[in-house]
Every structure is written in C-alpha cells, then in structure tokens.
Amino acid sequence: MRKLALSDEILLSVEKPARYIGGEPGAVMKNASEVEVRFAMCFPDVYEIGMSHLGIQILYDMFNRREDTWCERVYSPWVDLDRIMRRDHIPLFALESQDPVKEFDFLGITIQYEMCYTNILQILDLSGIALHAQERGEDDPIVIGGGPCTYNPEPLAPFFDLFYIGEGETVYGALLDLYKKMKREGASRMQFLRAAASIEGIYVPAMYDVTYKEDGTIASFTPKYADVPAKVRKQIVMDLDHTTYPTSPLVPFIKVTQDRVTLEIQRGCIRGCRFCQAGMLYRPVRERSVETLKQYADEMIERTGQDEISLSSLSSSDYSGIGEIVNYLIDQYAGQNINIQLPSLRIDAFSLDVMSRVQDVRKSSLTFAPEAGSQRMRDVINKGLTEEVILHGAREAFRGGWSKVKLYFMLGLPSEQEEDRKAIAHLANEIAAAYYDEVPKEKRVGKCQVTVSTSFFVPKPFTPFQWEKMFRPEEYLEDARTVNAEVQQMLNRKSIRYMYHQADETVLEGFFARGDRKCAAVLEEAYRLGALYDAWTEFWDYSRWLQAFENTGIDMDFYTLRERDEEEIFPWDFIDIGVTKAFLRREWNRAHEAKTTPNCRAGCSGCGAKTFGGGVCYENAH
C-alpha cells in the first residue's frame, strides 16, 4: 500500500484532492529499487490541463516501456495546496510513488506556452531544487525542458540544465543510455552535461557563451568547447506508423479539460500561414496510415472506456485519409454513444457533411478562423481563404441546420490599417446576413449567433513575422474598440457578439517569445513578487510584472516595440529547424507585397524541410 505524501487532513482541505493522489487507470507502478533511471515528467500547470496533453502521455508510455526506467508525473499544485506546502515545508512529489521530486534522476518539464513560465519556477522551488542550474549539486535531478517554447529557450536558459529540441521519440533513448553509463562510471554532473551536448537535438545552455553589442542586440553566440555543436538540429519522427503511441492512456478520476482519447492523425501543416509558429516548426507534414489509426482507435476505446475520441492535427481537412477514418469511426461505433471530435477542419462541403454526422447541429457551433477581416490582410498572412469561400461555407452550414458560428481573428498584424480592422465587423455582418437569406423564417431555430473573438498578434520565432514589432497594450485595446464600434453600426449587430483577449498579457507573451537570456531576471523577479498561474485570468496581475521590469532595469519595449533588422542575430538562431532563415525572409517580403504562397501540396516553395527526407516533400516523387 502506497503512503500518500499528503495527510488526509490536508487532502480534505484542498480543492479536488484527486489531483494529488495518482493511481488512475493506466498509471504505471514499478519498484524504485529495481530501475536505474527515475524520470519525473512535469506539466507546469494544474492537473486538469496537464492530463489533457498528448505529448506527456506519449513520453510517459515510451519511457515506461523501458525496464530500466520509471517515469512518473508531476503537475503544478493549485494555489491552495501551494500555500500549505510552503507553510508546512512539504516537498513537491510525483503522483505514482508519492516520492519527492528531488530524489529523481531527471525532472522533465514540457513548456507549451509562455504564460506558464512562473509555474516552472514554482515547480523547482517547491521541489527544493536550486532555481539556477549552475547552483545545483551532484544529487539534484537533471532539469530538462521540451515542447514548443524550447524553440527559443533563452529566457529560461539559466533555470535548465538542458533542453530537448524537437519531438521526443527520437534521441531520448540515447540520452538515458548515456546517463546510465556515466552514472556507473562515477562521472560528475558537468561531465554528463558536456557529453549530452554532443547528442543531436540536445542543447546545454552552460556550454555556450553569449556576448552583446552596445545597443543590446546579440554580438555572438558560440560554443565554449570544440566538441559542442554550433547548431542544434531539431528532432522529428519521419515514420509515424512505427513509433510509440499510448494506446492505454491514463484515465483521470476527475473531469479534465480534454476528457477524451486522442488520435493523432498527422504532424505538421501544408498551409504556411505566416503568423503560425507550429506550421513552420513541425514541417514537413507526415501522416499516419488509416490502418494504423483504426487499430489505435479500437485499442484506446476498449482499454479506457472513454466515450469521446478526438482527431488531432493542425489541419484535419488536409489529412489525405480524413474521409475514410471518420467514416470508419462512425460505422464502427454506431449505437455506442461515442462522440467524434474534429478540430481544425476547413469549412467546405465535405467537412460540413462529416460534422453533421458526428455532431448535434442544433447544439454545436461551427468555428471559422479567417484570422483577418479584409482580403488584403488574409493575403498578407497567407491564410489562403477568400471571402467568397468563407461565405459559401457559412451558407452551406446554415442550410445544413447550424445557426451558431464562432469567428477567430487577430489584431495588430503587420501592415494592418483601420479599414482592415473594420472589415472584421463587416465580414461578421455578411455571415449573419447569409443566415437570414438562406434559412426561411419557418425553419429558423431562433436567431443566428455570430461570436467574433479577436486575439492580439504575437510575432514568434521561426515565422516570417519574427522581425516584426508589437504595440503597446493601450494601442491594442484601441484597435479592439474600433472593431467593437464598427460592430455596433452593422445591420445585424444583434446577432453579433464581440470578445477580445487581454492586451497586457499578449505583450508579456511577446517579450518572452523573442527574449534572450537577460529576460530570465524579469521572470525570476516577478515570481519573487508573487506571480503564478499567469495564464489564469483570476491570478493575472500585470502590475507585478511592471514592478519586476522596474526592479531589474530591463526595458520591455526593446523586445516588443522594435522591428528587427534583417542582419540581427536572434537568440534562437543556433537552432536548425530545417526551414531556412532565407525562406522566412522571402516570405516576409511576400507578406509586405501582399503576395500569397501556395501550400505544400500545390507546389514546393523551397523552405528547406525537404532535408528531412520524407513526408509531404516526397509524396509525388517517383
């Protein structure tokens, strides 16, 4: 019988104690004395968010298939337990064994979004691990970061021993084998890190020197030793049919954000939207075969008892076997009340037909993501959607029985003008008008509901817009007011609901997205001032961050309001994602000319991803 790390008294005093006890169906239990490597896998947010993440489920399954390794899970304690742990000096623990994280060999942290950075420091702090890598001793875990934010790891560099750049299924085995070997040989922590830096895809910040020019930009970024590579190449899996996949995933005891099994149908996206980091990072597009997906789906439904399955992809409509796999799932689970989720579909006749078969159209809303209101702006961002296509999709949907539509846009895009912002309201009005034109009065189920949501654009590394400037929070809010005022002028305004995101949070996200090592001081100071769970509206406090900038003397405007020069060395330039900087600059130029670039299946644009030797780049090769 496991002894829980928290007493019954504490568990009964906190919200959702099931977050902390482990033991869920699918959890892996091993004997700690019989394994050589103990790996604590952490998602730095609350349990319900972390349990919904496919990446951790994949790595958890992959590590635990090794007889020599036990991988356990760690999530951020919610604020109520955080206070108790600090008060009573209870160290952070892993769910499976309930042992302190500090006793593990590795602490792996997945970094999915910039607004979780203070939670990373919480994890280290509550674990009793020194925040700074250089202050850790021989008995401390090796702290490793992975996930999309590691494509610019520099604002977090002082806090991590190493970063894994890319998809986890490739070189983790080599890293764990190296660790075992050097541990047996009695090697020091620094000797292991030096050796690990030679593994492709592994970045060890301590092995690199950064110098700066007088204007604050980077002068040089160089390895300290000859055997440390100057470039770190991202790791990707080219054959998705023959890699690990969790067909017995963990099933939580409590409701989580994504309470369903996930079927990852492909990786990457053919579209090339210029604002989209994921679309560039995960090139080239690689598909799983329909036969493999059928097998995975059947195993997961049988083993978990879940009643919902989600087809995961950046753009589901572009998966070549989408019709076949959807029809299989519909037929296979007919009469069993299994819901099928289809995120990321483009709205066309086929997609609407499929969705009408898997959704209750009376209850569900359709999601369109035009991203920009005017055609010029959609061409600038290479969205590949015309107003005609959008309106045609809306009319088809209304004819099919839908009456609720969600529209997603961005404000603050490069070269955006006032008329582009107003065009958002006009497009929403046209969509609402299409409902009243298409659906006779006697067939309407209430009035049309068009929900317009705008986020503020953040330039991300490895996108054509990585050179662009941002704006001040008050300027973003003025843009949102322009949209709102225009919505109020529309004939169908009563059918349109407008919402926008927080502007100050967006600016901070942009600061960290393109920051350098100096930015770590702001993060640490904000955490010291009490910043935590910044992605949660109820805990967001911008004044803490402004105080942190003042206390550290770091100028946020330098990182957010400045357009980058073409020759500037970026903090992330040492990472090779396959997509070349020359291609990204060509796309930047085309954006400023409002010229579109065809998708990867319509024609190769020479981005560089062909060097990986597979995927969509070779689909038509003979």
Side-chain angles (χ1 to χ4, degrees):
M1 184 71 181
R2 285 183 316 151
K3 185 177 187 306
L4 296 178
L6 302 175
S7 67
D8 290 351
E9 183 185 6
I10 291 174
L11 287 170
L12 289 169
S13 71
V14 297
E15 186 183 321
K16 299 183 184 176
R19 289 167 171 163
Y20 311 110
I21 60 175
E24 307 97 324
V28 176
M29 298 302 297
K30 296 188 180 183
N31 189 328
S33 62
E34 294 175 2
V35 296
E36 287 187 78
V37 180
R38 298 191 69 186
F39 201 112
M41 182 66 69
C42 171
F43 194 101
D45 206 323
V46 74
Y47 175 92
E48 293 93 310
I49 304 287
M51 273 292 282
S52 303
H53 186 246
L54 177 62
I56 281 194
Q57 294 258 15
I58 289 173
L59 294 178
Y60 182 84
D61 178 73
M62 183 179 81
F63 286 155
N64 281 321
R65 290 186 189 198
R66 292 177 59 118
E67 290 187 6
D68 59 3
T69 303
W70 186 12
C71 180
E72 304 181 46
R73 292 163 297 135
V74 184
Y75 304 103
S76 280
W78 192 240
V79 290
D80 52 0
L81 182 59
D82 177 284
R83 284 192 292 268
I84 292 169
M85 293 177 78
R86 293 175 193 276
R87 182 195 71 200
D88 296 351
H89 306 290
I90 299 169
L92 187 62
F93 52 91
L95 294 193
E96 281 75 3
S97 66
Q98 300 278 300
D99 290 340
V101 170
K102 202 175 189 313
E103 296 176 5
F104 284 65
D105 298 287
F106 287 92
L107 169 58
I109 303 176
T110 185
I111 313 165
Q112 295 294 314
Y113 35 83
E114 290 82 1
M115 303 314 293
C116 76
Y117 284 7
T118 48
N119 282 56
I120 292 171
L121 300 191
Q122 175 211 30
I123 294 290
L124 295 171
D125 198 4
L126 291 178
S127 298
I129 299 169
L131 295 188
H132 290 255
Q134 64 184 27
E135 295 170 7
R136 290 176 197 141
E138 294 298 324
D139 294 331
D140 282 318
I142 301 292
V143 180
I144 179 167
C149 288
T150 60
Y151 285 95
N152 177 23
E154 289 304 276
L156 295 170
F159 312 117
F160 282 82
D161 295 301
L162 55 88
F163 292 93
Y164 184 113
I165 310 296
E167 297 169 2
E169 297 98 326
T170 56
V171 299
Y172 256 126
L175 184 69
L176 298 184
D177 289 342
L178 175 70
Y179 178 79
K180 283 197 315 177
K181 175 178 174 288
M182 297 191 75
K183 188 178 178 183
R184 288 184 197 133
E185 293 170 355
S188 70
R189 182 187 195 86
M190 199 48 69
Q191 285 171 323
F192 167 70
L193 292 174
R194 171 93 176 259
S198 297
I199 297 175
E200 192 173 79
I202 300 297
Y203 167 51
V204 182
M207 300 295 148
Y208 295 80
D209 284 322
V210 190
T211 63
Y212 299 89
K213 298 177 183 176
E214 279 188 27
D215 65 1
T217 61
I218 292 174
S220 67
F221 189 102
T222 52
K224 291 181 179 178
Y225 310 105
D227 59 343
V228 174
K231 283 267 187 183
V232 178
R233 186 163 170 84
K234 81 170 180 188
Q235 298 301 293
I236 64 170
V237 180
M238 293 310 299
D239 182 0
L240 291 181
D241 279 345
H242 296 94
T243 186
T244 183
Y245 198 80
T247 54
S248 297
L250 291 136
V251 181
F253 287 136
I254 58 175
K255 186 165 181 56
V256 298
T257 312
Q258 309 269 334
D259 210 356
R260 57 184 74 106
V261 293
T262 302
L263 195 60
E264 185 190 39
I265 58 178
Q266 65 179 6
R267 290 185 187 171
C269 180
I270 63 170
R271 294 290 158 183
C273 297
R274 293 175 179 134
F275 59 85
C276 180
Q277 187 184 44
M280 298 295 166
L281 293 183
Y282 301 126
R283 290 187 174 206
V285 172
R286 294 142 287 144
E287 295 188 343
R288 278 196 169 90
S289 70
V290 172
E291 289 310 308
T292 297
L293 294 175
K294 289 177 182 177
Q295 177 192 333
Y296 287 172
D298 292 343
E299 290 179 14
M300 288 192 291
I301 292 293
E302 182 184 344
R303 293 172 182 175
T304 64
Q306 291 277 27
D307 61 2
E308 192 162 291
I309 186 163
S310 174
L311 304 189
S312 170
S313 164
L314 291 174
S315 180
S316 305
S317 304
D318 295 320
Y319 173 62
S320 60
I322 188 67
E324 188 179 350
I325 186 60
V326 168
N327 288 328
Y328 172 81
L329 293 173
I330 291 170
D331 296 339
Q332 179 77 352
Y333 297 106
Q336 295 185 41
N337 290 323
I338 301 290
N339 293 323
I340 302 167
Q341 286 285 330
L342 291 159
S344 313
L345 277 178
R346 292 170 80 82
I347 304 301
D348 53 28
F350 165 74
S351 300
L352 291 166
D353 177 58
V354 168
M355 281 189 281
S356 68
R357 295 182 67 192
V358 301
Q359 292 183 4
D360 181 341
V361 298
R362 289 175 175 273
K363 294 178 182 174
S364 64
S365 59
L366 276 181
T367 300
F368 294 72
E371 309 293 1
S374 69
Q375 192 57 49
R376 185 190 74 84
M377 279 310 304
R378 285 193 293 276
D379 290 345
V380 166
I381 64 179
N382 204 42
K383 182 63 186 175
L385 270 183
T386 63
E387 183 163 324
E388 183 183 5
V389 169
I390 295 166
L391 291 175
H392 177 73
R395 289 190 192 100
E396 290 285 320
F398 296 143
R399 273 200 290 267
W402 276 277
S403 60
K404 293 186 281 244
V405 174
K406 291 179 182 174
L407 300 172
Y408 289 103
F409 298 92
M410 281 183 288
L411 289 172
L413 286 160
S415 81
E416 181 182 279
Q417 305 297 319
E418 184 171 352
E419 58 263 32
D420 300 312
R421 294 186 274 277
K422 289 182 175 179
I424 292 172
H426 291 272
L427 182 57
N429 185 64
E430 289 291 315
I431 288 172
Y435 174 78
Y436 297 110
D437 289 345
E438 290 296 329
V439 185
K441 269 190 178 179
E442 64 274 13
K443 290 190 177 179
R444 291 175 193 165
V445 284
K447 69 177 183 179
C448 172
Q449 294 176 33
V450 179
T451 302
V452 174
S453 179
T454 57
S455 59
F456 300 111
F457 165 68
V458 177
K460 291 289 177 93
F462 296 110
T463 67
F465 291 154
Q466 61 184 354
W467 288 273
E468 296 292 341
K469 67 174 184 176
M470 295 182 71
F471 299 94
R472 299 184 189 281
E474 55 270 26
E475 293 175 285
Y476 284 128
L477 293 175
E478 186 57 41
D479 292 348
R481 281 191 283 270
T482 297
V483 177
N484 191 50
E486 196 70 8
V487 166
Q488 301 313 314
Q489 300 301 311
M490 294 298 102
L491 186 65
N492 294 296
R493 60 186 173 275
K494 290 184 178 177
S495 294
I496 304 171
R497 179 171 172 242
Y498 177 53
M499 302 183 298
Y500 54 89
H501 288 205
Q502 287 203 207
D504 46 16
E505 192 177 302
T506 298
V507 173
L508 187 66
E509 181 186 336
F511 167 76
F512 282 122
R514 294 187 294 173
D516 53 31
R517 287 191 188 187
K518 292 180 284 187
C519 300
V522 179
L523 171 61
E524 191 171 350
E525 180 64 8
Y527 175 71
R528 190 188 69 78
L529 292 170
L532 193 64
Y533 281 107
D534 292 295
W536 294 72
T537 307
E538 61 263 48
F539 301 117
W540 171 247
D541 184 349
Y542 192 46
S543 66
R544 283 198 188 106
W545 286 96
L546 293 177
Q547 186 65 54
F549 279 104
E550 187 178 326
N551 293 358
T552 56
I554 288 175
D555 180 13
M556 178 163 57
D557 293 352
F558 173 78
Y559 294 93
T560 56
L561 299 183
R562 184 173 59 87
E563 185 176 310
R564 273 58 168 173
D565 183 82
E566 186 176 354
E567 304 304 317
E568 181 169 335
I569 296 173
F570 292 140
W572 55 90
D573 274 350
F574 70 93
I575 297 173
D576 174 13
I577 69 160
V579 176
T580 66
K581 199 173 185 180
F583 165 76
L584 296 175
R585 190 66 187 186
R586 283 203 307 274
E587 284 294 286
W588 183 89
N589 288 326
R590 291 180 72 81
H592 284 271
E593 296 165 3
K595 289 182 179 175
T596 60
T597 299
N599 71 63
C600 297
R601 287 202 171 102
C604 179
S605 53
C607 73
K610 202 169 185 176
T611 57
F612 288 105
V616 70
C617 308
Y618 291 83
E619 274 181 6
N620 299 315
H622 298 293

